[in-house]
Amino acid sequence: MEFSFSQILSTTMVLFAIIDILGSIPIVIELRKKAGHIQSEKAAIVATALMIIFLFAGKTLLGVIGVDVASFAIAGSFVIFAIAMEMVLGLTLFRDEAPETVSIVPLAFPLIAGAGTMTTLLSLKTEYATQNIIVGIILNMLFVYFVLKNTNRLEKLFGKTGLNILRKAFGIILLAIAIKLFRTNTGL
């Protein structure tokens, strides 16, 4: 097992952009208002477990349904592209309804560990060592936990304009990631 700082940094940044917990602060605030309380620890632990399980079992699951990782990565690049367009242009392509309770659903899944995150994990697995991806997941989940615990303070710190700027900046990064995934897996 060889750890690579550059791979850890790359996977951490890619996952940070796709999870977009900073851009999700307004959603988290709304969920907290509806539910009264968010269990930050439980949400972070469940999201971490889901991502690590999918990292190891995702390829097998895809094999059962007859899809190879490259095809899944290409499909994922389209999903990531759509998410990025939402972030940059302020569109709403994916609609989620917020239930009355938020302990696991919709916070841990699908907000944190959603389809885009799972797609990204399998795509990253085609390029990076598994142990480096796991470190990237853990670093991101520590940050997610911190954000969930301090949502109100971060909202005041960044303000509405600051959160919009962060969301758009990470949207541009996601566009670049989507294009890279598409090119890598299609050979273009």
Side-chain angles (χ1 to χ4, degrees), residues 8 20 24 31 48 82 89 107-108 133 141 152 159:
I8 291 170
D20 186 34
S24 298
L31 290 172
T48 303
L89 300 176
L107 192 55
I133 298 170
M141 289 303 99
N152 292 332

Side-chain angles (χ1 to χ4, degrees), residues 85-106:
M85 293 306 289
E86 279 188 336
M87 292 168 69
V88 173
L89 300 176
L91 302 171
T92 304
L93 302 174
F94 301 104
R95 298 183 190 274
D96 293 322
E97 293 182 22
E100 298 303 312
T101 60
V102 296
S103 64
I104 303 301
V105 178

Side-chain angles (χ1 to χ4, degrees), residues 14 17 27 37 46 59 81 84 88 108 129 144 148 177-179 184-185 188:
V14 168
I27 298 166
H37 175 70
V46 168
K59 188 174 181 179
F81 185 84
V88 173
V144 164
L148 292 177
I177 291 166
I179 291 167
T184 300
N185 290 285
L188 295 176

Side-chain angles (χ1 to χ4, degrees), residues 84-85 87-88 166-178:
M85 293 306 289
M87 292 168 69
V88 173
L166 281 174
R167 189 169 181 87
K168 291 188 186 305
F170 282 108
I172 301 265
I173 292 169
L174 279 182
L175 281 173
I177 291 166

Side-chain angles (χ1 to χ4, degrees), residues 14-15 17-19 72-88 93-94 114-124 127 170-182 185:
V14 168
L15 289 171
I18 194 71
I19 292 169
F72 191 75
I74 292 168
S77 72
F78 289 119
V79 172
I80 294 168
F81 185 84
I83 292 168
M85 293 306 289
E86 279 188 336
M87 292 168 69
V88 173
L93 302 174
F94 301 104
T117 305
M118 300 307 190
T119 302
T120 302
L121 286 171
L122 286 186
S123 301
L124 288 171
E127 296 182 46
F170 282 108
I172 301 265
I173 292 169
L174 279 182
L175 281 173
I177 291 166
I179 291 167
K180 180 183 180 212
L181 284 173
F182 183 81
N185 290 285

